[in-house]
Amino acid sequence: MLQWATMHDSNSSNVRGTKYPFGFLFSNQFGKAIKPRIALLSIYSMIVGLVAGLVAEGVLELIYLFTNIFFARRWSFKIAYPDDFHLGLWVILIPVIGGIIAGLMIHYWEPTLKGHGTPEVMESVLIGHSVLRLRVGVLKPILSALVIGTGGPFGAEGPIIQTGGVIGSIIGQVLHLSPYERRILLASGAAAGLAATFLAPFAGVLLAIELLLFEFSARSFIPVALATVVATAVAILFRGSGALFPAHPWVLKHISELWLFALLGLLIGIISVILIRVLFWFEDLFDHFPLKPASVWAPTIGALIMGCIGYFFPHVFGTGYDTITAMLNNHFSAAKLLEISGAKFWAMVISLGSGTTGGVFAPSLIIGGGFGAAFGAFWHHLLPQFASDPAAYALAGMGALFAGTSRVPITSVVFMLELSRNTHAALPLIVACFIADLFTRLFSVDSIMTGKLHKRGLMVFQDYSTPVLIGSQIGQVVHVQKPVPADLYLAAAARLFPHDLGEVLAVVETDGKLAGIIEAHDFLHQEENRHLKVRDVVRADYVVANPEELVPTVAQKMLARHANNVVVEENDRPIGVVCAADLLRLQRGLEEKHLLMSMQPLWVAHKNEGKP
């Protein structure tokens, strides 16, 4: 066996052969499917996950501390929710404290503290080389905990996601990693933050893929997945492994009931579009607030309005995690559910639109859950033998609104499955979430995550498709040319060169073997260097490929060698050259072809319009 390994793979003697008794197990495929550096990056990601998990727990503890201080008037880290306390008219002014402090910190210290934080993380990934500042990571969780602890109608997940992203970015900067590697660590931190907050590691991975990584590949989601596992393990050490929102189990009464969940998804889609439009309208309104500086006064007035709403509807205060649990256990009447859902809607859009800070996931769950539970209660009362438990519709409504407003349907389905621990919810969730997402996409270009970026001139389409070049071969674009003999003088070779100065020719020795390449500008000084031959100026900045090799594979070779040209060989003889510009032209041509094919039915219908 040892001899067989040595004889059959002489090119990999460092891996196989006499050095390793089981050399046949370690083939020369090592590092081909994924780079070994990803293993090291995974270790870094786990460190990021550990820190993000600790930060998530710290933010939750801070929220409970501020809630106890302002609503219970005690110094305690005990879990507390604002709606458990009745303070009369004073409850209107408590959120103003958080609004004023938030406005001052945003205006004088850090403008990027404004909002729920996810758009800023996305912008850093897209155009900021995945660089986030440490100051944001320190101030964001503290300020958000204060705002939520004084009654702000937000969740803890938004600031935790942004802070987790900062942790990954800072570690990447300290280690002098490349922008791509920093992006993986940034996404790892953000995903770990969500996973630790809700004990939902799989949802954290998918959120990173749908919002931050902008790719679906093993090299990116393996480190992210390991980070979410570590962060979730940290959260379990502090809070246990029980469901964050425990709910009694339920099952569908009949498979045809999915039609009701489809209708719910459609209605939630309408609500999603309204929420996005109203939120952006309030953002524009408060951006032009007459009292200056607007960044200070706008969140203050927004908090005052929110306090007035909370006086009449206390369930809008704080994270609302207790309210979500109550919705999933049928603790409210249909009228109360609509009341809570509507109040949370206005509290969220006014507060967030005014420029304060906090997460949007938790309020989305309350808004969608309240409407979904009321919808389910109606049908359960009307058709008790057909409609399931209203809690099922509460769960589907939560996921559907999250999917519609954030444009992350896959994350939403998995997120709600992890929160509910109920596998029977899979089909209803898929139906409701994807129909809500479909409707929202039909009527809104932006999601709640991308609206800010659109205003800044950055269009983000949260779609991932197979690259048009993935099945193309390098032989499709090769310029078949006669190579230049290496022993020709430059002057003689210049006469053989094409008139197009952008061309590149292969150079061969007398035996026909490849010697290198020569470009047009190599002939600029031929008159002064008549004694030079082609082999004296031959270039080696190229890669070699066969005509059947796929373009993505060749492109990877070019990147690894920092080469702009490809020499295509057949039977060990060069037949032509491909330039980087040729690949770009191929991509553009294929994209135009795909676009034409996708538009053809519409074009045909238009052409035949008016004909019998």
Side-chain angles (χ1 to χ4, degrees):
M1 180 180 68
L2 179 62
Q3 184 180 9
W4 183 92
T6 306
M7 290 175 59
H8 284 75
D9 196 359
S10 59
N11 293 328
S12 57
S13 58
N14 290 333
V15 178
R16 306 200 299 188
T18 57
K19 198 169 182 179
Y20 293 93
F22 296 99
F24 73 98
L25 295 176
F26 301 95
S27 71
N28 58 0
Q29 296 181 25
F30 175 76
K32 296 293 182 65
I34 195 169
K35 299 297 181 185
R37 186 167 174 80
I38 298 301
L40 178 61
L41 204 61
S42 297
I43 296 174
Y44 295 152
S45 292
M46 288 189 284
I47 296 172
V48 171
L50 173 63
V51 180
L54 294 172
V55 169
E57 188 62 31
V59 172
L60 291 173
E61 294 290 339
L62 270 180
I63 290 173
Y64 297 139
L65 174 63
F66 287 128
T67 301
N68 278 293
I69 290 174
F70 289 101
F71 286 90
R73 288 162 291 182
R74 66 191 179 199
W75 183 277
S76 173
F77 290 94
K78 180 182 177 180
I79 295 177
Y81 298 101
D83 56 312
D84 293 335
F85 308 98
H86 305 282
L87 303 180
L89 291 173
W90 285 109
V91 80
I92 298 176
L93 297 179
I94 292 176
V96 177
I97 299 173
I100 291 175
I101 296 175
L104 291 172
M105 290 181 67
I106 291 169
H107 181 73
Y108 290 105
W109 283 1
E110 184 57 55
T112 60
L113 297 176
K114 179 179 178 181
H116 51 94
T118 307
E120 285 68 29
V121 178
M122 295 174 68
E123 184 178 26
S124 170
V125 169
L126 290 168
I127 61 174
H129 302 291
S130 300
V131 173
L132 291 170
R133 289 179 292 180
L134 179 61
R135 183 167 60 176
V136 175
V138 173
L139 295 179
K140 184 75 174 185
I142 297 174
L143 178 60
S144 297
L146 175 64
V147 169
I148 298 170
T150 54
F154 306 114
E157 67 288 331
I160 292 174
I161 286 174
Q162 186 174 13
T163 302
V166 171
I167 293 168
S169 175
I170 294 299
I171 290 178
Q173 293 173 58
V174 170
L175 296 174
H176 302 291
L177 302 182
S178 68
Y180 175 77
E181 293 173 329
R182 284 199 302 270
R183 182 174 71 176
I184 292 179
L185 292 191
L186 184 151
S188 298
L194 179 72
T197 305
F198 293 108
L199 301 181
F202 200 5
V205 176
L206 292 175
L207 182 79
I209 291 172
E210 291 195 292
L211 284 182
L212 300 175
L213 289 172
F214 299 100
E215 68 169 332
F216 188 85
S217 65
R219 62 178 182 171
S220 58
F221 63 66
I222 288 176
V224 172
L226 294 175
T228 62
V229 169
V230 173
T232 305
V234 171
I236 290 174
L237 288 176
F238 283 99
R239 286 179 269 142
S241 58
L244 183 62
F245 307 124
H248 67 273
W250 52 264
V251 295
L252 288 179
K253 289 191 173 181
H254 196 274
I255 195 65
S256 58
E257 190 183 355
L258 291 176
W259 286 105
L260 289 182
F261 287 96
L263 177 59
L264 175 63
L266 178 63
L267 296 176
I268 292 291
I270 296 173
I271 296 174
S272 298
V273 174
I274 295 173
L275 189 150
I276 292 169
R277 300 280 173 80
V278 173
L279 174 61
F280 293 162
W281 184 84
F282 273 112
E283 286 183 352
D284 292 336
L285 177 68
F286 280 107
D287 283 342
H288 300 89
F289 201 69
L291 294 178
K292 305 299 180 182
S295 56
V296 174
W297 286 107
T300 303
I301 299 302
L304 180 62
I305 298 173
M306 196 276 297
C308 294
I309 297 174
Y311 175 76
F312 296 99
F313 309 102
H315 290 287
V316 305
F317 287 131
T319 60
Y321 293 165
D322 58 333
T323 303
I324 295 172
T325 302
M327 286 179 173
L328 294 174
N329 288 277
N330 300 322
H331 290 176
F332 299 121
S333 66
K336 187 67 173 179
L337 288 164
L338 292 175
E339 174 187 291
I340 294 173
S341 181
K344 193 73 170 184
F345 176 99
W346 290 108
M348 172 187 156
V349 296
I350 292 172
S351 297
L352 194 62
S354 68
T356 188
T357 181
V360 297
F361 294 177
S364 296
L365 300 185
I366 293 176
I367 297 169
F371 184 84
F375 177 89
F378 170 78
W379 286 104
H380 188 72
H381 176 76
L382 188 66
L383 302 170
Q385 301 303 319
F386 180 76
S388 297
D389 194 316
Y393 293 88
L395 186 71
M398 291 176 184
L401 193 78
F402 182 29
T405 56
S406 301
R407 205 156 290 175
V408 287
I410 301 176
T411 299
S412 300
V413 172
V414 175
F415 186 33
M416 302 316 299
L417 286 174
E418 287 188 299
L419 290 183
S420 66
R421 312 285 176 89
N422 187 352
T423 56
H424 296 288
L427 290 180
L429 281 169
I430 292 173
V431 171
C433 290
F434 278 89
I435 288 180
D437 180 54
L438 170 63
F439 185 90
T440 309
R441 289 174 187 264
L442 284 173
F443 291 95
S444 178
V445 174
D446 297 312
S447 71
I448 201 172
M449 302 296 177
T450 61
K452 276 187 177 182
L453 304 180
H454 191 181
K455 290 180 182 179
R456 299 168 189 169
L458 184 62
M459 290 296 295
V460 182
F461 299 100
Q462 293 170 250
D463 291 317
Y464 308 94
S465 57
T466 302
V468 295
L469 294 178
I470 198 163
S472 304
Q473 295 178 339
I474 200 69
Q476 292 179 241
V477 286
V478 64
H479 298 285
V480 179
Q481 301 162 340
K482 186 177 180 180
V484 178
D487 56 358
L488 275 183
Y489 286 101
L490 280 181
R495 291 192 290 271
L496 300 176
F497 211 88
H499 294 295
D500 183 358
L501 293 182
E503 290 287 346
V504 179
L505 292 179
V507 178
V508 293
E509 297 290 355
T510 53
D511 59 358
K513 296 291 185 180
L514 180 65
I517 61 172
I518 189 169
E519 299 182 13
H521 54 78
D522 293 324
F523 296 97
L524 292 178
H525 303 289
Q526 57 171 311
E527 296 299 329
E528 297 87 345
N529 301 283
R530 293 178 177 273
H531 62 285
L532 290 180
K533 292 187 176 182
V534 172
R535 68 164 49 88
D536 297 324
V537 295
V538 74
R539 296 175 175 271
D541 53 339
Y542 62 90
V543 297
V544 178
N546 297 317
E548 295 80 15
E549 282 195 68
L550 296 178
V551 170
T553 304
V554 177
Q556 288 184 351
K557 291 182 183 179
M558 296 172 71
L559 288 173
R561 287 283 307 274
H562 302 286
N564 292 321
N565 302 291
V566 182
V567 178
V568 181
E569 287 190 336
E570 206 166 34
N571 299 323
D572 294 329
R573 296 291 187 272
I575 61 171
V577 179
V578 175
C579 304
D582 298 323
L583 301 182
L584 295 176
R585 280 191 289 269
L586 173 63
Q587 178 174 357
R588 181 176 180 180
L590 290 174
E591 287 175 347
E592 290 176 349
K593 180 181 178 181
H594 286 199
L595 178 62
L596 180 62
M597 292 177 64
S598 65
M599 294 179 64
Q600 189 172 1
L602 178 64
W603 176 79
V604 171
H606 182 72
K607 185 178 73 170
N608 295 330
E609 191 174 344
K611 292 184 179 182

